[in-house]
């Protein structure tokens, strides 16, 4: 029986209207190279080569059946967040892509759950676009882990998160716009080191920034890539909160108190890492994610969860689908 719910997949439409007039010469567009292949372009710069599994529901459903996936959450590709543009520009792009996401997922019925994107740099526009998308059929929202130098404890972002809590909308946080330097250009180091660090930092922002003290406990929020390096370094953060409370003690309680306020996906690729994750955040807070269809994702989806011998049947059921059912309100 195909029971897995994959909460971390991405889409790219097979083209969209020219938005360069609104967004500038470096606006994203898709260079179609064949029926099955395309290149994401940022102005004249090549960004990423993709295939039809980004936009073709039939291809995605075939892969889901092969991997035993019942349902996919289909989220934007973070390169299209456009947080560096004006709120109005980002809102126009979000509207276009969000509407195309519904076209991509419609042929799959309930097996694909669309998550929208919003212009997070402008709180009012972000809330308005979320509400529009919910009316049109989206079931959640994916956001980046920061907007420029504003982390998730920024007042505008906190207001948006409270809006999501009020609307009972699940939020999926994905790292994007990682720091760059010559040292990070080798071996895909931005993806291997900066991406986990960015995710770790965004969880710290919710804890040490006092967001969990202020936002309603109804907020359902999940983090990509196993929460980055957070689980491994919770002890260090806890020690710092007690040892340097004059600096770290900005939250009402120690960091470990907030375990249970957020979910993480399972894309850690190794049974030992999954064990640390489950032991730290709890089996009730881990959900299968794959990062499909990108090459650094997990295929077959949920393979580590399936093969991890330390998981019992009940715990494995929680991670493969029951936690996601609760997160998604299914």
């Amino acid at each position: 029986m195909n029971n897995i719910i994959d909460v971390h997949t991405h889409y790219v439409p097979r083209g969209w209207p020219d938005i360069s007039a609104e967004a500038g010469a470096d606006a994203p567009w898709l260079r179609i190279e064949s029926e099955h292949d395309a290149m994401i372009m940022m102005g004249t710069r090549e960004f990423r080569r993709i295939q039809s599994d980004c936009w073709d529901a039939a291809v995605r459903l075939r892969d889901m059946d092969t991997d035993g996936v019942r349902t996919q959450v289909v989220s934007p590709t973070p390169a299209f967040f456009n947080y560096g543009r004006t709120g109005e520009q980002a809102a126009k792009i979000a509207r276009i892509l969000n509407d195309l996401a519904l076209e991509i997922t419609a042929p799959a019925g309930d097996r694909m759950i669309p998550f929208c994107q919003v212009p997070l740099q402008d709180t009012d526009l972000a809330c308005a676009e979320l509400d529009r998308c919910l009316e049109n059929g989206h079931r959640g929202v994916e956001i980046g882990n920061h907007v420029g130098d504003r982390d998730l404890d920024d007042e505008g972002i906190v207001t948006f998160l409270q809006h999501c809590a009020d609307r009972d909308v699940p939020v999926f946080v994905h790292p994007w716009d990682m720091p760059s330097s010559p040292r990070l250009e080798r071996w895909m180091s931005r993806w291997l080191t900066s991406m986990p660090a960015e995710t770790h930092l965004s969880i710290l922002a919710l804890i040490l920034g006092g967001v969990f003290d202020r936002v309603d406990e109804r907020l359902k929020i999940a983090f990509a890539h196993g929460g980055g390096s957070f689980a491994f370094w919770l002890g260090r953060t806890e020690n710092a909160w007690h040892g340097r409370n004059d600096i770290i003690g900005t939250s009402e309680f120690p960091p470990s108190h907030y375990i249970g306020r957020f979910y993480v996906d399972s894309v850690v690729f190794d049974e030992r890492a999954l064990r640390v994750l489950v032991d730290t955040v709890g089996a009730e807070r881990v959900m299968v994610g794959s990062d499909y269809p990108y090459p650094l994702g997990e295929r077959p989806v949920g393979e580590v969860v399936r093969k991890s011998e330390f998981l019992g049947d009940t715990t494995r059921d929680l991670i493969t689908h029951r936690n996601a059912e609760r997160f998604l309100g299914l």
Side-chain angles (χ1 to χ4, degrees), residues 27-323:
W29 58 284
L30 200 66
R31 188 178 74 202
I32 303 297
E33 300 187 340
S34 75
E35 182 181 353
H36 304 288
D37 299 277
M39 176 68 72
I40 299 174
M41 302 292 295
M42 298 296 179
T44 60
R45 178 175 63 90
E46 293 183 349
F47 175 73
R48 177 180 294 169
R49 187 172 301 281
I50 61 172
Q51 285 77 43
S52 57
D53 48 13
C54 280
W55 63 75
D56 190 327
V59 174
R60 297 178 75 104
L61 288 168
R62 181 196 65 203
D63 289 346
M64 290 166 65
D65 290 340
T66 298
D67 289 1
V69 175
R70 184 213 317 171
T71 306
Q72 278 186 348
V73 173
V74 183
S75 294
T77 294
F80 301 128
F81 285 155
N82 292 286
Y83 294 160
R85 305 184 193 279
T86 69
E88 290 78 8
Q89 290 173 330
K92 290 179 180 178
I93 297 171
R95 282 194 290 270
I96 292 170
L97 295 177
N98 288 334
D99 291 347
L100 290 172
L102 295 176
E103 294 182 14
I104 292 171
T105 57
D110 291 339
R111 293 193 66 187
M112 291 184 190
I113 297 176
F115 272 31
C116 65
Q117 67 183 68
V118 297
L120 197 59
Q121 63 269 56
D122 186 305
T123 304
D124 291 340
L125 291 176
C127 292
E129 179 60 13
L130 176 66
D131 291 346
R132 187 190 75 89
C133 287
L134 294 176
E135 293 175 0
N136 290 343
H138 286 85
R139 303 275 290 280
V141 60
E142 180 187 61
I143 63 172
N145 68 304
H146 67 104
V147 177
D149 291 331
R150 299 161 55 197
D151 282 309
L152 296 187
D153 58 333
D154 173 83
E155 286 304 319
I157 299 175
V158 172
T159 297
F160 176 75
L161 293 177
Q162 182 60 57
H163 185 72
C164 292
D166 292 339
R167 300 296 306 270
D168 193 28
V169 175
V171 180
F172 189 69
V173 181
H174 197 289
W176 86 295
D177 192 31
M178 291 89 70
S180 179
S181 76
R183 293 177 59 239
L184 293 172
E185 296 308 314
R186 299 190 298 167
W187 319 310
M188 294 191 73
S189 294
R190 293 171 67 199
W191 280 261
L192 299 180
T193 63
S194 301
M195 186 168 277
E198 284 287 335
T199 308
H200 182 173
L201 179 59
S202 58
I203 297 176
L204 289 185
L206 293 186
I207 294 174
L208 299 180
V211 179
F212 285 138
D213 295 325
R214 290 179 283 153
V215 171
D216 197 299
E217 291 190 6
R218 293 174 299 167
L219 176 66
K220 296 186 292 188
I221 189 166
F223 292 86
H225 307 130
S229 47
F230 173 81
F232 190 81
W233 289 115
L234 174 59
R236 181 177 179 85
T237 307
E238 188 87 356
N239 181 67
W241 193 93
H242 289 285
R244 288 304 310 269
N245 195 267
D246 56 322
I247 297 174
I248 302 298
T250 52
S251 56
E252 184 176 353
F253 301 101
S256 60
H257 173 83
Y258 302 95
I259 295 299
R261 290 293 301 273
F262 60 92
Y263 296 82
V264 296
D265 73 18
S266 64
V267 196
V268 294
F269 305 101
D270 186 277
E271 180 175 347
R272 294 162 296 184
L274 182 63
R275 182 190 289 271
V276 171
L277 195 61
V278 170
D279 287 348
T280 302
V281 306
E284 298 80 8
R285 293 287 163 170
V286 181
M287 306 180 289
V288 166
S290 69
D291 211 358
Y292 175 97
Y294 293 131
L296 296 188
E298 182 187 49
R299 292 290 309 274
V301 174
E303 184 78 349
V304 172
V305 173
R306 282 195 191 96
K307 292 185 174 180
S308 290
E309 296 181 357
F310 76 93
L311 295 175
D313 290 342
T314 300
T315 304
R316 189 173 283 106
D317 283 348
L318 285 173
I319 296 173
T320 55
H321 62 282
R322 296 198 184 280
N323 294 336

